[in-house]
Structure formats: structure tokens, C-alpha cells
Amino acid sequence: QVQLVESGGGLVQAGGSLRLSCAASGRTFSNYAVGWFRQAPGKERAFVAAINMSGSGTSTADSVKGRFTISRNNAENTVYLQMSSLKPEDTAVYYCAANSMRRSYFARDYDYWGQGTQVTVSS
């Protein structure tokens, strides 16, 4: 079992920045790929970014490319999502998720999920 806890969400003006954290506990964190997803009201959960086990490989959704960066610190059992140039359409609950196979765009590939953190971007 891996337990995930997101933090760092909040209210920010358009153009601002936030850094989300996903803290893991339980099994060896470096054995898990991690993804960030988001869900806006009335919409399906959408892929944002993912990182492989070592941190050497990342994937980012086109909608956030150039604005969001995913990284990890395995010594601290934490994955980060640095978000800049935020837009109102980035408003959503952001979730981190982990799986023991590979980084993936698909929510169905992830076995463990955090409870989510709200990000609200005002115009």
C-alpha cells in the first residue's frame, strides 16, 4: 500500500504560480511512477503530468505544456507539480496517483490516489 497526500492548493490570480506537493508513505516510493490529474466541476478527470520512477522521464498534457513542470525527490518521498502562468481554466481539484509499472496518461493505470487539493484561479 502507498498512501498519498496532496498539498499546496489554494486561490491564486490568473498569471500566478502554485506548487503542489504529493507526499507518499508506505512502500518504497522510488518503485512507483506518479501522475497528476485534475477534475473540474462537471468534467471528467484529466491527465496533467506524469513522472517515471527515477525522475528521468516525464510527460505533460498539451494544455499545460510550458507552464507546468513535474519533478520528484525520492529521498523525501515527494512529487511536485510546479504550476505557473495559471489560467482560470486550470481551476480544478488536483489529484496525484501512483502505480508500480510505468508512467501513464490513463487514470485506470494508477492503483493509489490521494484525496485531492483544490486549485482556484481567478480572472
Side-chain angles (χ1 to χ4, degrees):
Q1 283 273 7
V2 174
Q3 292 78 41
L4 303 172
V5 178
E6 302 96 335
S7 62
L11 174 64
V12 63
Q13 288 189 332
S17 299
L18 283 174
R19 188 177 78 160
L20 304 185
S21 298
C22 172
S25 61
R27 295 191 175 180
T28 305
F29 185 56
S30 58
N31 290 341
Y32 292 85
V34 174
W36 283 97
F37 293 79
R38 66 186 182 185
Q39 189 165 19
K43 294 189 176 181
E44 294 187 353
R45 194 166 295 189
F47 171 76
V48 176
I51 191 165
N52 66 2
M53 297 170 187
S54 68
S56 62
T58 63
S59 304
T60 309
D62 288 344
S63 59
V64 303
K65 197 160 291 183
R67 300 188 298 121
F68 291 13
T69 302
I70 187 171
S71 62
R72 69 188 296 161
N73 184 328
N74 285 338
E76 296 183 353
N77 291 343
T78 304
V79 170
Y80 302 99
L81 184 68
Q82 179 67 47
M83 307 186 297
S84 59
S85 302
L86 283 161
K87 304 175 181 179
E89 51 263 43
D90 294 319
T91 295
V93 178
Y94 283 71
Y95 299 89
C96 67
N99 82 73
S100 61
M101 298 299 291
R102 62 187 180 280
R103 75 181 191 270
S104 171
Y105 299 100
F106 304 107
R108 65 175 181 262
D109 290 336
Y110 292 85
D111 303 306
Y112 305 102
W113 291 81
Q115 83 290 348
T117 185
Q118 176 71 47
V119 172
T120 303
V121 184
S122 63
S123 57

